[in-house]
Amino acid sequence: ALSAVYDLEREALIVNALTRVGVPTPAFVAYEPQAKVLLLERARGRSDFTAIPGEARRQRIARPFIAGVAALH
């Protein structure tokens, strides 16, 4: 079960809104509130950022991400 502090419905609303305005996220597909299932498009890439070899490569990957986060604020 998900932690009580993790609100999947809120996550679905946020990802759906970000997808609609063009923020690079896995695209929202559907949310089923009774089953508490959030379906997103599969996104290429890795989730283990620290395992990417080379500091320069990690920085090349991180800079656009940080710029995107900054643009949201």
Side-chain angles (χ1 to χ4, degrees), residues 2 4 7 9-11 13-15 17 21-22 24 33 37 40-41 43-44 47 51 56 60 62-63 69:
L2 290 173
D7 185 339
E9 184 172 4
R10 182 180 64 202
E11 182 84 5
L13 291 170
I14 291 168
V15 170
V21 297
V37 173
L40 305 173
E41 273 187 358
R44 288 183 40 225
S47 62
R60 281 194 313 274
R63 287 185 193 284
V69 171

Side-chain angles (χ1 to χ4, degrees), residues 3-73:
S3 167
V5 298
Y6 186 75
D7 185 339
L8 196 57
E9 184 172 4
R10 182 180 64 202
E11 182 84 5
L13 291 170
I14 291 168
V15 170
N16 189 18
L18 292 172
T19 299
R20 284 186 283 120
V21 297
V23 173
T25 63
F28 176 87
V29 176
Y31 173 66
E32 171 31 60
Q34 288 184 319
K36 296 192 184 231
V37 173
L38 173 59
L39 182 62
L40 305 173
E41 273 187 358
R42 182 181 173 112
R44 288 183 40 225
R46 300 172 63 152
S47 62
D48 53 347
F49 181 77
T50 58
I52 297 170
E55 178 66 23
R57 186 171 181 204
R58 284 192 299 274
Q59 284 190 17
R60 281 194 313 274
I61 292 168
R63 287 185 193 284
F65 171 77
I66 298 301
V69 171
L72 292 172
H73 294 83

